[in-house]
Amino acid sequence: MSAPSKEAPKVTHGDPLFELAEKIYVQLAARVYGNLAGGDVKKPDPKALAAYCFKLAAAFDAAARETDTAKATIEAANKAKVRLDEVDLSGVFGDVKK
């Protein structure tokens, strides 16, 4: 039996936050590590830059959920849900004889 892995679970490309963070990372890395960035400027660690990109993606996602359009969409979806715990079915099963 193998020992449990100490690594964090891998995030896949199906995760929208991963994809957004990846796009941000590619753009920032091109600017930070590209030839146009000054040679005398200290450049951040790539892992730190990636972590920053995930924070930016999460903040963007949180802000997007606070827009009026997103709130209206969430409210409409909540109204459309059927909550079985709030439905009175006693009239349907009223006089069931065994």
Side-chain angles (χ1 to χ4, degrees):
M1 194 157 141
S2 63
S5 175
K6 294 183 180 180
E7 292 182 23
K10 301 271 183 196
V11 180
T12 61
H13 287 279
D15 182 14
L17 280 180
F18 177 86
E19 292 176 2
L20 179 58
E22 184 179 40
K23 288 178 184 178
I24 294 170
Y25 181 80
V26 168
Q27 293 294 321
L28 282 179
R31 290 175 183 250
V32 170
Y33 303 117
N35 291 336
L36 297 178
D40 57 343
V41 177
K42 184 179 179 199
K43 298 177 181 167
D45 176 47
K47 189 173 181 179
L49 184 63
Y52 179 65
C53 292
F54 274 100
K55 288 180 183 180
L56 286 174
F60 181 83
D61 184 55
R65 292 174 193 262
E66 294 176 5
T67 64
D68 293 336
T69 305
K71 287 179 181 179
T73 303
I74 292 169
E75 187 176 331
N78 287 338
K79 285 182 181 179
K81 288 181 185 176
V82 176
R83 296 188 180 122
L84 295 178
D85 59 336
E86 296 177 359
V87 177
D88 180 21
L89 297 175
S90 61
V92 175
F93 301 109
D95 293 331
V96 176
K97 295 183 181 182
K98 293 182 182 180

